[in-house]
């Protein structure tokens, strides 16, 4: 496995699907780099355009449960950690049970992230609350029955007053989230169950948590968790990470399928799934398009959902009127505008 992170760092093409030019060691290939899918499925909220590349682990590693970072050489682990920190968010890769399911975009799972008894208690509390409602879509609260057919309990202040047993369970989960994502995750505001809009890209703030329930045949069709650019600018922040924790075992159906990445994660009680809907600059990553598959007949799915947000980078504003006036004045005097002078200087160099 040592070659994997080095391959990512050096941008080495290890193999391509359908290629007949692979060497005799192709069965041991650890990384597959492929062009990203250019056209998202119908109904997809594609906001960032097609990326240039997807970097997968080998099917053998995927089938075995993912790549174990603890078995990697330190230099390769450091390279992957740096990619996460610069391009997405810092992650503690030393958390027990963590496995890499995809390199770029990064998709991670953590076995036994939450104890079984906490999962059961959260599921029972949500079911007993009597406050499950039809799930909304895209952070707007809009109800679109054909896209998302599950029901959701939003854990608000009122819900905690009505179901006080949820609070200590929620705290255990948030403590684990901090272990995974570091002290940058500000969970203090959740003690009063109020979402505090993050003021900077370095501030990581959780939205109000949710518990979703999928009955047989229910689903959430292809969607991105990242906000479209216009919505993100209006809100002043972007969703930077999605943390799902499955609260029950689902033998058939109910998987979280990554449409462009070619694999899904099957719900297992206590397992966490972490991925990144946007880049560190705030641009949504269309490669993370995903689907919550239909729960199979005779099964149901319970999942805890937490979206982590960060403020958008501050970009300098351009005074268009002042620039136009400056260019007009230069033209009238027969001079050269600063923009043309800059281009001229570049040509001379």
């Amino acid at each position: 496995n040592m070659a994997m992170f080095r391959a990512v760092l050096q941008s080495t093409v290890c193999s391509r699907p359908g290629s007949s030019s692979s060497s005799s060691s192709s069965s041991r290939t650890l990384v597959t780099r492929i062009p990203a899918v250019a056209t998202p499925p119908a109904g997809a909220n594609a906001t960032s355009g097609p990326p240039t590349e997807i970097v997968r682990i080998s099917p053998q590693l995927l089938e075995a449960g993912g790549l174990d970072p603890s078995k990697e050489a330190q230099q390769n682990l450091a390279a992957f950690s740096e990619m996460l920190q610069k391009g997405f968010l810092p992650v503690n890769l030393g958390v027990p049970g963590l496995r890499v399911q995809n390199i770029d975009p990064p998709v991670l799972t953590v076995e036994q992230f939450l104890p079984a008894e906490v999962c059961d208690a959260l599921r029972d509390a949500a079911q007993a609350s009597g406050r499950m409602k039809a799930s909304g879509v895209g952070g707007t609260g809009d109800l679109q029955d054909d896209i998302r057919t599950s029901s959701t309990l939003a854990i608000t202040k009122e819900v905690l007053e009505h179901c006080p047993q949820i609070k200590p369970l929620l705290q255990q989960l948030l403590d684990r989230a901090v272990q995974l994502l570091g002290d940058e995750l500000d969970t203090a505001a959740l003690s009063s169950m109020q979402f505090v809009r993050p003021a900077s890209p370095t501030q990581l703030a959780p939205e109000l948590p949710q518990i979703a329930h999928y009955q047989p045949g229910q689903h959430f069709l292809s969607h991105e968790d990242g906000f479209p650019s216009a919505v993100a600018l209006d809100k002043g922040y972007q969703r930077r990470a999605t943390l799902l924790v499955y609260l029950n075992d689902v033998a058939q159906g109910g998987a979280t399928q990554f449409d462009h990445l070619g694999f899904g994660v099957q719900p297992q009680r206590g397992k966490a799934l972490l991925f990144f809907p946007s880049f560190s600059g705030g641009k949504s990553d269309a490669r993370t398009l995903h689907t919550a598959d239909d729960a199979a007949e005779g099964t149901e799915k319970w999942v805890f959902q937490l979206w982590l947000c960060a403020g958008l980078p501050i970009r300098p504003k351009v005074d268009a009127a002042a620039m136009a006036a400056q260019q007009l004045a230069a033209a009238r005097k027969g001079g050269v505008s600063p923009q043309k002078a800059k281009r001229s200087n570049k040509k001379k160099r």
Side-chain angles (χ1 to χ4, degrees), residues 31-49:
V31 177
T32 302
R33 307 176 80 90
I34 64 170
V37 177
T39 305
N45 171 30
T47 59
S48 59

Side-chain angles (χ1 to χ4, degrees), residues 64-71 95-102 107-111:
L67 186 141
D68 184 353
S70 68
K71 296 180 180 179
V95 169
L98 187 145
R99 298 292 183 270
V100 179
Q101 306 297 331
N102 202 75
V107 178
L108 313 173
T109 57
V110 183
E111 302 286 342

Side-chain angles (χ1 to χ4, degrees), residues 186-217:
D186 181 11
T187 61
L190 284 183
S191 60
S192 58
M193 298 316 295
Q194 293 181 347
F195 173 64
V196 178
R197 180 179 299 183
S200 73
T202 57
Q203 182 186 359
L204 193 60
E207 294 183 27
L208 294 183
Q210 299 180 1
I211 297 175
H213 180 214
Y214 294 81
Q215 295 182 5

Side-chain angles (χ1 to χ4, degrees), residues 153-273:
L153 174 68
I155 305 179
T156 63
K157 183 178 181 180
E158 291 72 24
V159 166
L160 285 186
E161 290 174 351
H162 179 70
C163 307
Q165 69 271 31
I166 292 180
K167 191 167 185 177
L169 304 171
L170 177 62
Q171 190 59 55
Q172 287 190 57
L173 198 152
L174 293 176
D175 288 345
R176 291 287 285 143
V178 170
Q179 291 176 20
L180 182 62
L181 290 159
D183 295 334
E184 292 85 359
L185 176 55
D186 181 11
T187 61
L190 284 183
S191 60
S192 58
M193 298 316 295
Q194 293 181 347
F195 173 64
V196 178
R197 180 179 299 183
S200 73
T202 57
Q203 182 186 359
L204 193 60
E207 294 183 27
L208 294 183
Q210 299 180 1
I211 297 175
H213 180 214
Y214 294 81
Q215 295 182 5
Q218 292 186 335
H219 54 250
F220 193 172
L221 299 182
S222 295
H223 64 283
E224 289 179 48
D225 287 352
F227 298 129
S229 298
V231 175
L233 287 171
D234 182 61
K235 290 177 174 289
Y237 61 88
Q238 176 63 283
R239 284 175 171 170
R240 295 281 301 281
T242 295
L243 179 64
L244 305 180
V245 182
Y246 301 110
L247 301 180
N248 70 314
D249 293 321
V250 182
Q252 285 186 312
T256 304
Q257 295 285 350
F258 289 92
D259 299 42
H260 294 332
L261 308 184
F263 73 90
V265 176
Q266 193 67 29
Q268 294 178 358
R269 184 173 59 174
K271 175 186 277 189
L273 169 62

Side-chain angles (χ1 to χ4, degrees), residues 58-92:
S58 72
Q60 293 88 349
L61 281 174
L62 196 61
E63 183 68 24
L67 186 141
D68 184 353
S70 68
K71 296 180 180 179
E72 288 297 315
Q74 190 60 41
Q75 69 222 44
N76 303 326
L77 189 62
F80 185 58
S81 181
E82 183 180 11
M83 186 197 82
L84 285 168
Q85 184 168 357
K86 289 184 176 180
F88 302 95
L89 284 173
V91 176
N92 178 9

Side-chain angles (χ1 to χ4, degrees), residues 11-22:
S11 299
T12 301
V13 176
C14 297
S15 68
R16 292 183 183 274
S19 173
S20 59
S21 60
S22 300

